[in-house]
Amino acid sequence: MWEFLQHLSFWDWLALGTVLLILEVFGTGGYLLWMGIAAAAVGVLKFLIPGLGLELQLLLFAVLSILTAVYWWKRQRSAAKASDQPGLNMRGSELIGRTFLVHEAIIEGRGKIKVSDGVWIVTGPDTPAGVHVRVISQDGVILRVETV
């Protein structure tokens, strides 16, 4: 094994880079992408400088792996911007402050209201069906209401 490592060719680095990139396709979340690129870069350097020693090859691989990963991480963080739709995927938050008719009477603090084509579970004071209530807050999938 040590003999093999002492005589790594550029093909070995390119093969390692290819294997890492193929494994990345199976969904590692970007971890192997940068290592694959670093291995390919070391392969190219080994092709351009055939006398590159094993220690320097391994050092280059480690440094390039870290540098490419940090570069991408910083680039992703700087490219992140605030959403122009901050309420997206916060389904009940747009209902706060709106009034609805009680669909099923609120008995012992629990009932249902109809919102468009859906029905939401609500908590609040006991209220008969057909009375208007205002949504005052949300707790997961349960809306808190008060009578209007």
Side-chain angles (χ1 to χ4, degrees):
M1 178 71 169
W2 183 250
E3 184 67 29
F4 172 74
L5 289 177
Q6 288 292 330
H7 301 289
L8 284 176
S9 72
F10 69 93
W11 287 114
D12 297 320
W13 283 107
L14 293 176
L16 175 63
T18 302
V19 167
L20 289 171
L21 292 174
I22 289 171
L23 290 174
E24 175 63 33
V25 171
F26 293 110
T28 62
Y31 299 110
L32 297 179
L33 174 67
W34 305 113
M35 293 176 67
I37 290 172
V42 172
V44 169
L45 286 173
K46 178 68 176 169
F47 177 75
L48 296 174
I49 309 168
L52 209 57
L54 174 66
E55 295 82 11
L56 190 55
Q57 291 176 51
L58 295 176
L59 180 67
L60 281 171
F61 175 66
V63 169
L64 287 174
S65 294
I66 292 169
L67 286 178
T68 53
V70 168
Y71 166 75
W72 186 252
W73 178 74
K74 284 187 175 186
R75 183 165 182 228
Q76 288 295 94
R77 299 246 347 213
S78 68
K81 61 178 181 172
S83 174
D84 57 344
Q85 298 177 345
L88 188 63
N89 292 331
M90 295 170 54
R91 204 129 173 231
S93 65
E94 73 273 5
L95 302 177
I96 296 173
R98 294 179 53 194
T99 58
F100 301 96
L101 286 175
V102 175
H103 183 66
E104 289 183 19
I106 302 174
I107 301 171
E108 295 181 9
R110 292 186 70 95
K112 294 182 180 178
I113 61 171
K114 187 162 180 80
V115 178
S116 299
D117 61 346
V119 177
W120 284 77
I121 298 173
V122 297
T123 60
D126 290 355
T127 310
V131 174
H132 287 280
V133 291
R134 178 180 295 115
V135 177
I136 56 173
S137 68
Q138 177 186 11
D139 183 23
V141 295
I142 298 174
L143 301 174
R144 296 189 196 282
V145 297
E146 64 183 6
T147 54
V148 177

